[in-house]
Amino acid sequence: MGLLLLLVAGYVGNLTRWTLFFDIDFIFGSIAVWIVVCLYGVRWGTLAGFIAASCTYFLWKHPYTIITFTCETLFVGWCFHRYRQNLVLLNGIFWLLIGMPLIWLFYAQILKIDPVQAQIILLKQPVNGIFNALIAILLITYLPVHRWLDRPRAITTLSFQQTLFNLLVAFVFLPSLLLIILASRGVVEGIRTTAQIELSRSTAYVLVEVRSWYQQRFHVANEMAHLVANGSLEQIDHWQQHITLAQEMLPDVVGLAILNANGRSIVSSPGGGKGAIAHPANQPYLETARHTLNPTVSNLINRDGKKSPSIFLNVPIAQNENFLGFVVCELELDLIHGLLTTNAEDQNVVMTLVGRDHSVIFSTQADRTPGQSLNLPQEGELYPLSRQAYQWFPTKGSRLMMVRWMNSFFVQETPVVPGLPWTLIVEDSAAPSVRHIQSIFMRNLAIVLAIAGLALIFSVLLSRQLVRPLSQLALATTNVPNKLLSGEPIDWPESLVTEVAFLVRNFKMMTATLSQKFTEVQQALDYNALLKRITEKVRDSLDEGQILQTAVQELATVLDVECCNTDVYNLEQQTCLIRCEHTNTLPPIQGLVIPISSLPEVYHQLIQGLSFQFCMTIPNPARPHCKPTAILACPILDDQGALGDLWVFKNREEVFYDQEIRLVQQVANQCAIAIRQARLYQTAQIQLKALEELNNLKDDFLSTVSHELRTPISNMKMAIEMLKLTAGEERRDRYLKILQTECDREADLINDLLDLQRLTAGTQALNLEPIHLQEWVAQITESFQERTRSRQQVLQIEVAPEVPVIMSDPACLDRILNELLNNACKYTPPGERIKVSARTVNSMSPLTEAPDLSFIPYPSSFIILDVCNSGVEIPASELAHIFEKFYRVPGIDRWKQGGTGLGLTLVQKMTEHLGGKIYVESSANQTCFTVELPVRVVVS
C-alpha cells in the first residue's frame, strides 16, 4: 500500500507543477520517486521514475524527459545503494556527467529548438532535480517516513558530515531557488500587459494621423457636396476652381469629380471624372451611397501604370433628402504608406491597414501585398488581452510552448474611424520579450545552478573541514583501551570550533581518567596476583617465620617502599617482637622486642583491629635516629584476637592509596589465616605427641597394673601351694603372712584406682576433723624413720610452733603426706636429705619459694606443707607431666620399687579435694613438693 501511494504521488507530483514562464515548469514527482529508491530499492525506484515521468509526454509533447528521468533514477539509485553516498551529491554528479549532455542532445539536436531555449531547459532540469533530491533526503532523514510505510530505515546512521552537507546545500540553494520562483510570478502577465500598453501607444499615434488624414479629405469632399447642394450644378467654372484649389491643398487627391444623379460627370479634375465613373470597382459603393445618402469608401484600386494604390471617397449630394449627385474623390495612399512605415520603424512593430473583407490596404510587412486577405484569428490561436487586443499563437510548427511563444505576436485591431471600413492592425512580436525574459532567467538559472554546484562543492569542503576534527577524534578514540594499555600515543586533533575543541578537551580528560583507572586496574590486577602468590606461599607453609618473611618481602618489593616488617604480639607480657622484616633504606631491627606501652595509642588501635596510616612526629622507639616516615600499620588478627601487625614505611611526603591499603589488609588477613593454621598445626603436633606419650603411658600403666595385679596373685598362688605342701607351723605362718601381704597389696592397688575414679568424678565425700599438725606430722613421719635409716637417708621434720589446729580430712591428708614421703624415700640417694616442714602463711606474706605464686589469689591464711629431698632433680621437660595419670619419671627409680604412676595423681586430686593446691620445683639437684591448704577455723 505504501509503495502504491508513492507511485501515485510521483505521477501526481509531476502533474502538480510550478510554471515559471512559457511552460518552463518545476515538477515535484521525483521527491516521491527518491523515497521509493531509498526505501524499496533500485528496481522499484526505476519503475516509479518511469511512471512519474510518463506524464511529461502529455505536458511537453515529447518522450525525452521520460528517458532522462529514468536514467537519473537508475544511476543515482544504484550509486546510492552501492556506495551509500549523499543523494543530493549523487544527483549533482548525474546532471553534470549524464543529464545535461542528454538534454542538449534531445532539445538542441533532435528537437532543434532555439539554442537559448535549450540552454534554459539545460539549466532548469538540473536545478529541479537537485531541489527534489534535497527535499527527499530531508524528508527521509528528519521524518519517520520509514515507520509510516512500515519499512526499514533507508539511512541507519547519518554522519555529521552528511548532515552539514544537506543543511548547507539547503540554506544556500533553497533561498536562491525561492527567489527565482517568486521572480517568475507574473512574468507572462507582465509581458502581455507591457505589450498591450505598447500596442495601445503605437496604435493611438498612428490612428490620430490616419484619422486626421481621412477627416481632412472627407471634409473637403463633404464641404464641396454641401456647396453643390446649396448652389447649382451648372456653375461648372465655379466648381472647377474649387476642385483645382482642393487638389492644390491636398496633393494626394489625384482625382476629384462632381457627378449628377445619373452618375454623369459634371465637373472633374483633369482626367479624374471619367476615371471615377468608369472604374468598375467603385460602382457598388456609388450605388450604396445613392441609396443610403452616406459617404462610402471603395476598396483598394490598383490602376494600371501607377505604383501606389488608391481608393475612392464617395460623398452623396443631397438637399432635403433628395439625391442630387456625388462628389467622388480618388485618394492616393502614399502618405498613409509613409505614415505607417515611419511609425512601424520607430515602434519596431508591424502595422497593417485592412479594409473590407480583411483585405490588406497597406502593411509594413513585406510579404503582405495590398489586396491580400489577412485574417489572423483563422490562421492561429488567440489569447484575448482586451476587447481589441490579443496574443496570436501559430498553429503550425513546434508544439513546445516556448517555441510557440517565440513565434507569437501581440496584436491590436482598431477601427480607424466610424464610416471608414478600415482597421489598423498593429503586431508586436513576442520574440524580443521572450528573449529578454529568457536571457534574464537563463542568467538566473545559471546563477542558481552555479550556486547549487558551488554549494555542493563548498558544502563538501566545509563539511569535511568541520567534520575532520570529529573524524580525527573518532579515529583517535578508536580502541582507546588498547592504546592506553600499550602506551601508544594519541594524536589529538585541533579545531577552531568551540564545541569541537571542548569535546576534544573532554576526551583528553576522559582519556587521562581512563589511563589512571587502567593504571589502577592494572595495579589491582598486579596486587591480586601478588595476593594470590602470597596466599599460595603462606598457605603452603606451616612455618610461622617463613610465612611472615614471605609477606614482608613480597610487599616491600611490589609496593617499592623503604621498609616492611611484621610484629608478633605477646599480650601477656605486653610486648611485641619484630619477627621478620625487609628493608631497603631503614636500618634493620629484626628480633627487637618493643613494649606495647612505648606507642600506646598506635598499638591500642591495632589490637582493636583498626588499620591506619600516619606520620610519626616523635622519634620512632624502634628507630630513634631515623627521619620521620609515612607509616601504614595494619593488624594481623582473626576471630580470636590480634596476633601481630604489618608495618609499611614510605617517604614522609608520600601517602598510601586505597588499593595499597586494601592489599596490605588482605595480606595481613592471609597471614592471620596462615599463622593460625601454623599454630593449630603446631598445637596439633604437640597434642599428637602428647597423645602418643599418653598412649605409651597407658601401655605402661596397663603393663604395670597388669604386672602389679598379677604379681600379688602369683605370690598368693605360690603361698597357697606352699601351704598345701608344708606341714610345719612356722612355715605355714610365714606363707600365710605372705598371702596376707599380697592380698593387701592387691586391695590397695584396686582401692587406689577406685579412689582416683571417685576423686575425678567428684563423688568422694569430705570428712573434716580437727588436726593438730605437730602431732600429725610426727605420727606420719615416725613410720618412715626406720626406712630412711636403712637407706642411709636423713629425715628432718620442721613444724612451726604457731601452726594452728586445722579442719581437714585426715584420710586424705595422711595419704598426701605418705605418698610424698614414699616418693622422697624411693628416689633419694643414700646420704641425701629428706625434709618435711609445715608453716602458716597469710596474704601479707606470700610464699616466695613456690613458683609463680605471685599470680595466685591467696586466702586470708593457709598451711604450707613442704616435702623436699636432695640429690635428685626432675628434668624440666618432665615437670609438667608428673601429676598426670600413669606417668612415671623414667630413670630415677633407684630402688626399682616400681609403682603404677597413680600416686602423685592421687595427691593432686586429694589436695584439690581439700581445697588446696600442690606445686613442684626441681632445680639445683633438689626437688620440693609444696602443698597449700586453706586454714579452716575450728569452731568450739
Side-chain angles (χ1 to χ4, degrees), residues 786-829:
E786 181 60 29
R787 184 177 177 182
T788 56
R789 282 196 299 270
S790 64
R791 296 190 178 187
Q792 300 176 2
Q793 298 168 343
V794 178
L795 179 60
Q796 294 181 346
I797 307 298
E798 292 183 1
V799 179
E802 68 278 6
V803 173
V805 176
I806 64 172
M807 294 294 293
S808 186
D809 189 329
C812 289
L813 202 56
D814 289 352
R815 183 64 182 270
I816 290 172
L817 188 54
N818 278 312
E819 190 64 38
L820 292 176
L821 283 173
N822 185 50
N823 281 343
C825 292
K826 186 187 298 185
Y827 300 117
T828 300

Side-chain angles (χ1 to χ4, degrees), residues 57-109:
Y57 181 81
F58 305 101
L59 295 176
W60 301 326
K61 307 298 188 273
H62 63 79
Y64 302 117
T65 300
I66 301 176
I67 299 173
T68 305
F69 192 41
T70 305
C71 291
E72 178 189 12
T73 307
L74 181 62
F75 174 83
V76 175
W78 181 81
C79 292
F80 175 78
H81 285 283
R82 180 175 180 85
Y83 300 107
R84 290 295 175 185
Q85 292 296 321
N86 191 283
L87 193 67
V88 179
L89 183 61
L90 292 174
N91 201 272
I93 294 173
F94 166 80
W95 285 109
L96 179 64
L97 301 180
I98 301 174
M100 296 176 73
L102 282 178
I103 291 175
W104 185 258
L105 173 65
F106 293 147
Y107 286 86
Q109 303 301 321

Side-chain angles (χ1 to χ4, degrees), residues 834-873:
I834 299 173
K835 181 180 179 182
V836 179
S837 62
R839 66 187 187 277
T840 302
V841 178
N842 54 42
S843 58
M844 299 305 294
S845 56
L847 179 64
T848 57
E849 291 83 355
D852 297 331
L853 293 181
S854 60
F855 296 95
I856 301 172
Y858 295 103
S860 58
S861 61
F862 47 87
I863 298 297
I864 299 298
L865 292 177
D866 292 324
V867 178
C868 301
N869 60 316
S870 62
V872 67
E873 183 178 336

Side-chain angles (χ1 to χ4, degrees), residues 752-767:
D752 287 345
L753 291 172
L754 292 174
D755 290 342
L756 182 60
Q757 189 273 335
R758 285 194 295 268
L759 289 170
T760 302
T763 59
Q764 179 74 31
L766 187 61
N767 299 317

Side-chain angles (χ1 to χ4, degrees), residues 186-205:
V187 167
V188 173
E189 294 302 322
I191 293 175
R192 286 169 172 166
T193 302
T194 302
Q196 187 176 353
I197 294 173
E198 292 295 329
L199 287 174
S200 297
R201 186 175 63 208
S202 300
T203 301
Y205 183 76

Side-chain angles (χ1 to χ4, degrees), residues 118 168 193-194 235 376 500 577 703 724 736 744 777 805 880 889 923:
L168 288 172
T193 302
T194 302
Q235 297 177 354
L376 292 177
V500 176
L577 169 65
S703 176
K724 291 179 181 180
L736 285 173
D744 293 340
V777 171
V805 176
V889 178
S923 62

Side-chain angles (χ1 to χ4, degrees), residues 256 274 289 297:
L256 183 61
K274 291 185 177 180
V297 176

Side-chain angles (χ1 to χ4, degrees), residues 879-895:
L879 287 175
H881 306 291
I882 60 173
F883 293 108
E884 295 177 0
K885 299 175 185 177
F886 319 122
Y887 184 77
R888 296 175 65 191
V889 178
I892 63 171
D893 188 357
R894 297 179 178 273
W895 310 105

